[in-house]
Amino acid sequence: MIFLEKMKKKDGNKKPEVIFDRMVPFITGAFFCFLLVFFGVGQYPDSETYLHYYSDREPLYPLFLKVCRMAAGDAHVLWAAVIFQNVLAFFCFWYLYRFITRQFQLNLLFRIAVLLIILMPHLMTSVFTSSGIVLTNAILSEGLTVSLYPLFATILFEAFYREKKGRFLAASYIVALLLALARGQLMTMLLVWLLVSAAIIVREWILLRKSQEQSRSAQPTEKSHRSAQSGRVCAISILALFLLTIAGFVIRQSVIHVYHSAMTDGRIRSNTGANVTLLTNVLYCADEQAVLKAADTLSETDAQLLRGLYAQMRSEKLCASDAGDGFHARIWHHEDSHDKIKFDILGEYLRMAAWAERETLPESAEDGSEIRVIMDKTGGRLMKALLPHCIGSYLTTYLYVAAGGFVRTVSLLSPVFSIYALFIYAAAVVLMCVLFRKAQGRAAAWLMAIVLLMTAANVCATALTIMCLSRYMIYNMSLFYLAGLVCVWEAYRIRRGGTSGAEICTQPE
C-alpha cells in the first residue's frame, strides 16, 4: 500500500486502481519467470508418450513439441516448450485479469484479490499435491491446456458481455477446438460453447421482442412481422451453432486421422486406449457374479482372460468391494487402484493376449503399434460384455469420482475441505439466484452460471474416463473464485444503493 501511495504521487491524480493495473503485467511476468527458473523443465512418466508421438495421445501437444524441436533443435526442445508455455500463461492470465477488473469495475482491494486468485492454482499443484507438478513447466498436454482453458473462458465471456459478439464467438470456437485436440475430456468445451452461444442468441431475441412490444411508434402489423422475422433468425442461428459444433467434432477426428498418417505408422486412425481405460473402470466396479455372467457371453479365450484379470485384482484388493466405508475412502481407493489395474495388471494381460493372437509383427509395425490396436479391440470386447452386469456399481463409483472432482475444483480432497466445498458451492448457487432476481446483478449471476457449467462439463467428462486429480480439475479453480468474488462485489454495490458497473451489451452487430 505504501508503494502504491508513492506511485500515486509520482503519477499525479491517477487512481490507485489504474496504478495497480499497470503493475499487474510485471507482477504476473515475474511470477511465471520465477516458476520457469526455479522449477525448470518438468518431465514425468507420461512425457515420453508425447515426445515420441505415441498413437494413444491427442495430436495437439505432440505437434507443438515437433514445432519446438524444429525451432530449437533436439538439445533445446524441452526448454523451448516450457518457455512458450509460460509466455502463453502470462498472456492468458493477464487477459483474464484485465477482462474481470474492467468489466465489473472492481476497486483496488478486489483487484488485488483477483490477481491472487488467478495465480493461486499454480501454487496449489506445486505445493499442496503429491505430484508437486508445475503445470506451465510440464512436458504434458496440461502445459498448454492450463492456459488455453482460461483463454477460452475469457473470450467466451467477451462474447457474452460485448456488443460485437461475432468475432469473439469465432475466436472462442477455435480455442475450444484446440482444447479438444489437446485432451479428449475437454471436447465438452465445444458443448459449452454451443450452450453459451445459444443462450446469447436467445437472450438477445427475448430482449428484442420486449423492446418491440414497448415501442409505441411502430404499427401493430409491422411489429408482428418484425417479431416473426427475428424469431426465424434466432432459430436459424441456433441451428448454425449446432452444425458448427458437429463440425468441430468432425474436424477433431479428421485432424487425428491426418496426425496418425503423418506422425505414426498410419495404422491407428483414432486414439486408442479408450477401451482399455473404460475396461479399467468397469473391472474395478465388477463383482464375481458379474464376471461369471460376462464370461458366458465371450469366447473361451476372452473368458479365460477376463477371469484371470479379476482373480489377480481380487488377490491384490483392487476392487470397489475392497474400498473402505465413507466418501473419501471410496475415492482414494479408486485412485490408488486405477493405474495399478490399467498398467500393471490389465496392460500386461492384454499384451500377452495380443502377442498370442499375433505372434509376429509385419515390418511396418515393428514399433508395436499393431499390438496396441489388438489390445484396444480386446479391451473393448471385454468391457462391452462386462458393463451390463455391473452398471449399478459403475454408476455409483462414477458419482463418487465426480463428487471428488467437484471438491478438488475448489479445494483439496479431505474431510474438512469437502465440507468447505459443499458450503462454498451452496453459497455460490444461492448468491447467483439472488442476483438473477435483481436487474443490476444479472451480469455477475450470468458469469457464475457459465463458470458452473464449465465446471460440471470438465468434472463429468473427466470422471467418465480417469480419476479427477487436482491437475485435471485445476482449470476452473480460478474461474470459480473469480465469479464468486464478482458476485460478492455486485451484491455489495447493490446493497449500498449504487449502480452496477457491469453491463451486457445485447444490440446486434
Side-chain angles (χ1 to χ4, degrees):
M1 289 299 179
I2 297 175
F3 178 74
L4 285 174
E5 289 298 325
K6 291 181 179 179
M7 288 290 292
K8 186 176 179 181
K9 291 179 181 179
K10 182 179 178 180
D11 287 0
N13 295 323
K14 291 181 180 177
K15 293 182 179 180
E17 290 85 356
V18 176
I19 300 170
F20 183 73
D21 285 348
R22 291 183 177 180
M23 295 165 52
V24 165
F26 298 100
I27 297 172
T28 308
F31 176 80
F32 285 109
C33 284
F34 166 75
L35 293 182
L36 178 65
V37 174
F38 185 80
F39 291 100
V41 174
Q43 283 192 270
Y44 303 90
D46 288 348
S47 298
E48 290 298 313
T49 63
Y50 295 103
L51 288 166
H52 295 97
Y53 312 115
Y54 277 32
S55 55
D56 53 355
R57 289 297 184 186
E58 286 80 1
L60 182 64
Y61 199 72
L63 290 174
F64 163 69
L65 290 176
K66 185 173 181 63
V67 172
C68 292
R69 182 175 281 110
M70 293 169 61
D74 290 336
H76 306 292
V77 57
L78 301 184
W79 274 105
V82 298
I83 288 173
F84 179 86
Q85 288 170 187
N86 278 277
V87 171
L88 179 65
F90 161 76
F91 168 76
C92 294
F93 286 101
W94 172 75
Y95 179 37
L96 175 60
Y97 168 87
R98 184 173 177 270
F99 169 80
I100 292 293
T101 55
R102 291 191 177 189
Q103 178 64 35
F104 295 96
Q105 299 180 14
L106 304 179
N107 65 13
L108 177 60
L109 181 62
F110 275 75
R111 286 171 192 251
I112 294 173
V114 166
L115 181 60
L116 293 176
I117 288 171
I118 285 175
L119 301 180
M120 175 182 63
H122 300 279
L123 296 177
M124 285 283 293
T125 56
S126 60
V127 177
F128 296 106
T129 62
S130 57
S131 64
I133 186 172
V134 180
L135 292 175
T136 53
N137 291 15
I139 306 300
L140 300 169
S141 60
E142 289 92 332
L144 287 181
T145 55
V146 73
S147 301
L148 290 176
Y149 194 93
L151 178 62
F152 165 73
T154 309
I155 299 174
L156 197 61
F157 297 153
E158 295 266 24
F160 194 86
Y161 290 94
R162 296 288 180 260
E163 180 178 346
K164 295 183 178 181
K165 303 176 184 300
R167 60 183 179 179
F168 291 114
L169 286 175
S172 59
Y173 176 81
I174 293 171
V175 180
L177 188 56
L178 290 176
L179 286 169
L181 288 168
R183 288 195 66 82
Q185 296 95 327
L186 295 180
M187 284 192 293
T188 51
M189 293 305 107
L190 285 168
L191 299 178
V192 169
W193 178 86
L194 170 64
L195 293 175
V196 174
S197 301
I200 291 171
I201 292 173
V202 171
R203 189 176 188 278
E204 287 192 348
W205 175 64
I206 292 173
L207 292 176
L208 182 61
R209 285 193 62 185
K210 288 182 179 180
S211 175
Q212 291 173 349
E213 290 173 359
Q214 294 173 356
S215 178
R216 297 180 180 178
S217 59
Q219 297 296 327
T221 55
E222 186 179 355
K223 286 194 297 182
S224 176
H225 172 71
R226 289 180 180 177
S227 178
Q229 189 178 30
S230 64
R232 285 194 295 271
V233 171
C234 177
I236 292 172
S237 299
I238 292 176
L239 177 61
L241 293 175
F242 182 73
L243 294 176
L244 277 172
T245 304
I246 294 177
F249 289 104
V250 174
I251 292 171
R252 177 185 184 271
Q253 197 65 20
S254 300
V255 172
I256 289 174
H257 288 184
V258 173
Y259 165 74
H260 287 307
S261 297
M263 305 290 287
T264 69
D265 62 2
R267 290 177 177 271
I268 304 173
R269 298 301 190 211
S270 62
N271 293 93
T272 58
N275 285 329
V276 176
T277 301
L278 290 174
L279 177 59
T280 300
N281 295 331
V282 174
L283 275 171
Y284 175 79
C285 302
D287 57 16
E288 186 174 1
Q289 193 68 22
V291 171
L292 293 176
K293 289 181 180 179
D296 291 339
T297 65
L298 294 167
S299 66
E300 182 60 33
T301 302
D302 286 350
Q304 185 177 357
L305 174 61
L306 180 61
R307 288 192 289 265
L309 285 168
Y310 184 74
Q312 185 165 345
M313 286 174 54
R314 285 304 306 269
S315 67
E316 297 186 23
K317 298 188 181 300
L318 298 177
C319 299
S321 57
D322 299 313
D325 295 329
F327 175 74
H328 297 90
R330 292 286 298 268
I331 297 173
W332 286 328
H333 184 268
H334 174 265
E335 292 175 357
D336 290 338
S337 303
H338 185 276
D339 283 354
K340 294 177 183 177
I341 296 171
K342 183 176 180 179
F343 298 110
D344 298 343
I345 299 177
L346 186 55
E348 188 63 28
Y349 271 76
L350 289 179
R351 188 174 293 106
M352 290 190 297
W355 278 104
E357 183 176 335
R358 187 175 184 86
E359 295 181 357
T360 60
L361 289 172
E363 293 182 1
S364 59
E366 288 180 353
D367 63 349
S369 59
E370 187 171 334
I371 287 296
R372 291 195 293 272
V373 174
I374 298 173
M375 290 170 61
D376 192 65
K377 290 180 179 178
T378 304
R381 292 197 303 268
L382 299 183
M383 184 269 295
K384 292 174 183 177
L386 185 58
L387 180 59
H389 304 292
C390 59
I391 188 68
S393 176
Y394 178 81
L395 292 176
T396 301
T397 301
Y398 172 79
L399 291 176
Y400 272 105
V401 174
F406 280 106
V407 172
R408 281 202 171 105
T409 298
V410 298
S411 66
L412 302 173
L413 185 66
S414 71
V416 173
F417 282 109
S418 296
I419 295 174
Y420 160 78
L422 182 63
F423 169 79
I424 203 71
Y425 276 117
V429 172
V430 170
L431 186 55
M432 178 185 70
C433 293
V434 170
L435 289 174
F436 264 127
R437 297 180 62 184
K438 300 180 181 295
Q440 294 180 349
R442 285 172 190 162
W446 275 112
L447 182 70
M448 177 59 78
I450 295 172
V451 170
L452 289 176
L453 173 65
M454 294 178 67
T455 301
N458 182 49
V459 169
C460 294
T462 305
L464 193 63
T465 55
I466 199 170
M467 308 89 75
C468 289
L469 301 178
S470 293
R471 67 175 176 143
Y472 305 139
M473 299 295 102
I474 207 71
Y475 302 119
N476 289 294
M477 176 175 282
S478 288
L479 296 176
F480 176 83
Y481 284 107
L482 288 176
L485 191 73
V486 166
C487 286
V488 170
W489 168 250
E490 291 299 317
Y492 168 74
R493 292 179 65 150
I494 292 171
R495 186 171 182 81
R496 289 192 62 184
T499 57
S500 173
E503 295 180 355
I504 303 177
C505 297
T506 56
Q507 299 175 7
E509 296 185 51

